[in-house]
Amino acid sequence: MLTGHRVSHRSILVAALSTVVEWYDFTLYLYFATVLARVFFGGGETSLAITLGGFAVAYLMRPVGAVVFGHIADRHGRQPMLLLSMAVMSAAMLLTALLPTYALVGPAAAWLLFALRCVMGFSVGGEYTGVIAYLLEGSRPDRRGLIASLAAAASEVGALLAVGVAALTVSLTSEPALTSWGWRIPFLFGAALAGTVWFARRGLEESPDFERLRDAGALHPRRSTMRSPSSAARCCAHSRSRPSARSPIMSGSATCPRS
């Protein structure tokens, strides 16, 4: 009889709800597009289109992030990967809030913003797939569909949170203040949220499936099956010096490499 999840309820909750922060950080850019167009692109006729193009470019980095972070999770564990993806997002969000504007550094401001958008897209690509894998592996077999769906539900909550914070910021600040410093507040808030989730994820239990593979030595099968030439030579020498009816060399079931 199934009595509980394979990891603690706290680990399930932290993993599932943390996608709120990732998608808040990722979508906030879209809701401030008109402000960012003025701050980083000079406010020309094409500035808004270029700003929205930066949002689209970030999506191109998501598959790359999924592959890279997926490899990290398979080699080093789900929990280290989830910590890394959140740390990358936290740093990118904080740096976005501290970026110099077009008035200070010219076109370099736009390039810096684009670079950080790519970093965010890269992080979200690994984050989302990593959380889904963790929830599937840590939940009860008869509740995996429901538990995994929490990540998708939480991500939509994050997008709605971004809408609410953006609307609140715009309504409480004047136009000059919003362009000067007000736009930074939601990004700083997102960085603080991401940092909080990072600390919460430090207590995540590792995936039981990953621990089973690690304990069985199956994470690096090529390393475990390969032997150095010197060890193979010693094996062959020992086998030739003591032939027997059970020897693989006599029975033909295995042969030593020829030099």
Side-chain angles (χ1 to χ4, degrees), residues 110-197:
W111 288 109
L112 290 172
L113 180 63
F114 276 172
L116 290 174
R117 289 304 304 169
C118 289
V119 171
M120 288 185 186
F122 178 82
S123 174
V124 170
E127 163 75 14
Y128 190 72
T129 54
V131 168
I132 292 294
Y134 182 85
L135 293 177
L136 287 174
E137 295 172 357
S139 59
R140 289 167 43 179
D142 64 331
R143 289 291 183 269
R144 284 176 177 168
L146 175 63
I147 297 301
S149 70
L150 294 178
S155 66
E156 298 305 322
V157 173
L160 291 175
L161 180 62
V163 173
V165 171
L168 186 63
T169 303
V170 171
S171 64
L172 294 179
T173 56
S174 63
E175 186 70 19
L178 183 65
T179 304
S180 176
W181 54 266
W183 66 271
R184 299 181 188 270
I185 295 176
F187 289 94
L188 288 172
F189 177 69
L193 282 179
T196 302
V197 170

Side-chain angles (χ1 to χ4, degrees), residues 192-254:
L193 282 179
T196 302
V197 170
W198 184 87
F199 276 104
R201 281 186 175 182
R202 295 180 63 186
L204 282 181
E205 299 175 17
E206 186 52 84
S207 162
D209 290 342
F210 177 83
E211 290 184 328
R212 176 175 54 81
L213 292 173
R214 181 183 59 195
D215 294 342
L219 297 179
H220 305 284
R222 296 178 65 181
R223 294 182 183 179
S224 62
T225 56
M226 291 177 64
R227 293 182 299 178
S228 64
S230 59
S231 63
R234 287 195 299 269
C235 174
C236 291
H238 178 73
S239 300
R240 290 192 181 103
S241 64
R242 298 183 61 185
S244 65
R246 295 183 179 180
S247 173
I249 299 177
M250 297 296 292
S251 64
S253 61

Side-chain angles (χ1 to χ4, degrees), residues 60-76:
L60 298 179
M61 296 300 297
R62 289 178 60 184
V64 180
V67 172
V68 173
F69 281 106
H71 178 75
I72 294 173
D74 288 341
R75 292 301 184 191
H76 303 287

Side-chain angles (χ1 to χ4, degrees), residues 53-97:
F55 186 80
V57 167
Y59 269 89
L60 298 179
M61 296 300 297
R62 289 178 60 184
V64 180
V67 172
V68 173
F69 281 106
H71 178 75
I72 294 173
D74 288 341
R75 292 301 184 191
H76 303 287
R78 311 295 189 239
Q79 194 248 15
M81 184 279 292
L82 291 174
L83 282 175
L84 179 60
S85 66
M86 187 58 68
V88 171
M89 175 61 81
S90 301
M93 201 67 173
L94 179 60
L95 291 174
T96 299

